[in-house]
Amino acid sequence: MKTAIQIILTIAILALGYLCWESIQKPVRFNETHQMRQEKVIERLQGIREAQRAYKSVYGKFTGSFDTLINFINNDSLALIHMEGRLTDSMIEEGMTELRALKMGIIQRDTIYVAVKDSLFGKNFVPDSLRYVPFTNKEEFEMEATTIKTASGVEVPVFEAKVHNNTYLKGLDEQLIINLNEEAKAYGKYPGLKVGSLTEANNSAGNWE
């Protein structure tokens, strides 16, 4: 029969083994959940980017208002050019231009208008969902729009939409979130996910790309 000391030692060894196993599994579980949440947030930011680009194609600028952007998706249309006919290689070799071909009726162009919602997202999409960060209690993305001047002196419209790690990773291990933030800051990066920039014309790139 085991003595009380042997039993205590056995329990202590098992507890130590569990703590070692848990110390390994904790960051593994965190990384898996982090990646899953990150993918959903990126998907939402990509939707915001598509809507912003469509808005700019109509109004020549971006918007910093989700109300404006969502109203645009719900009620506006995009102009699409439908072309019939084409220039053959022999026509091009003979100097035929697209403008001349249009005048001669060789090719034809028609402008059709398609609802923004149907064109970008599909009929079952809920536009108001764009503003909300996944895995939160309806926390909204931060979004701003402005114009900046390039090195050549050209005014360029830009926008930025972002969410901090603390927001979309809320509920996960706090120390591991802090570590993630510190790592981003060490490299001079935003500690979260964002698309676009208010300080540079980056073609609305995401910081995950």
Side-chain angles (χ1 to χ4, degrees):
M1 294 178 64
K2 290 185 177 180
T3 65
I5 294 176
Q6 288 175 320
I7 293 173
I8 292 172
L9 284 173
T10 300
I11 293 173
I13 291 170
L14 290 173
L16 183 61
Y18 173 77
L19 289 174
C20 291
W21 179 83
E22 182 62 17
S23 67
I24 295 171
Q25 290 302 310
K26 184 184 289 185
V28 171
R29 289 195 300 269
F30 176 84
N31 289 336
E32 288 176 349
T33 306
H34 174 210
Q35 183 176 352
M36 181 270 291
R37 291 191 182 188
Q38 182 174 262
E39 288 173 357
K40 293 298 182 182
V41 173
I42 288 174
E43 186 178 305
R44 190 67 51 85
L45 286 170
Q46 288 172 328
I48 292 172
R49 175 167 61 190
E50 289 304 305
Q52 284 278 20
R53 284 175 171 172
Y55 183 88
K56 179 176 176 288
S57 73
V58 175
Y59 296 103
K61 61 181 181 179
F62 296 114
T63 176
S65 165
F66 272 113
D67 288 339
T68 299
L69 192 63
I70 289 165
N71 181 67
F72 168 73
I73 296 170
N74 278 322
N75 301 305
D76 235 315
S77 300
L78 296 174
L80 300 178
I81 306 299
H82 176 68
M83 180 181 288
E84 292 184 357
R86 68 181 184 84
L87 293 177
T88 63
D89 292 340
S90 60
M91 290 177 181
I92 295 173
E93 290 173 1
E94 291 172 2
M96 176 69 73
T97 64
E98 188 174 295
L99 181 60
R100 186 180 170 194
L102 279 168
K103 291 180 178 179
M104 296 176 63
I106 296 172
I107 59 177
Q108 295 179 337
R109 282 180 178 172
D110 291 317
T111 302
I112 59 175
Y113 291 88
V114 180
V116 174
K117 181 180 176 182
D118 295 345
S119 176
L120 296 183
F121 302 106
K123 294 181 179 180
N124 295 325
F125 179 73
V126 180
D128 197 52
S129 66
L130 273 186
R131 70 168 80 229
Y132 298 120
V133 181
F135 309 103
T136 68
N137 187 23
K138 290 198 169 182
E139 294 280 348
E140 295 191 14
F141 289 98
E142 298 177 57
M143 188 171 73
E144 294 182 67
T146 186
T147 57
I148 60 173
K149 187 173 289 187
T150 65
S152 58
V154 179
E155 292 281 348
V156 178
V158 294
F159 87 94
E160 180 179 277
K162 63 184 181 180
V163 59
H164 199 281
N165 287 330
N166 292 349
T167 300
Y168 80 95
L169 296 178
K170 186 176 181 179
L172 302 185
D173 187 279
E174 292 184 6
Q175 185 56 55
L176 292 178
I177 296 174
I178 291 172
N179 295 347
L180 199 64
N181 293 338
E182 291 302 320
E183 182 181 353
K185 290 176 183 178
Y187 287 98
K189 297 180 179 180
Y190 174 68
L193 293 168
K194 72 171 187 172
V195 63
S197 172
L198 297 179
T199 59
E200 60 178 329
N202 68 352
N203 197 31
S204 305
N207 67 344
W208 63 88
E209 294 174 320

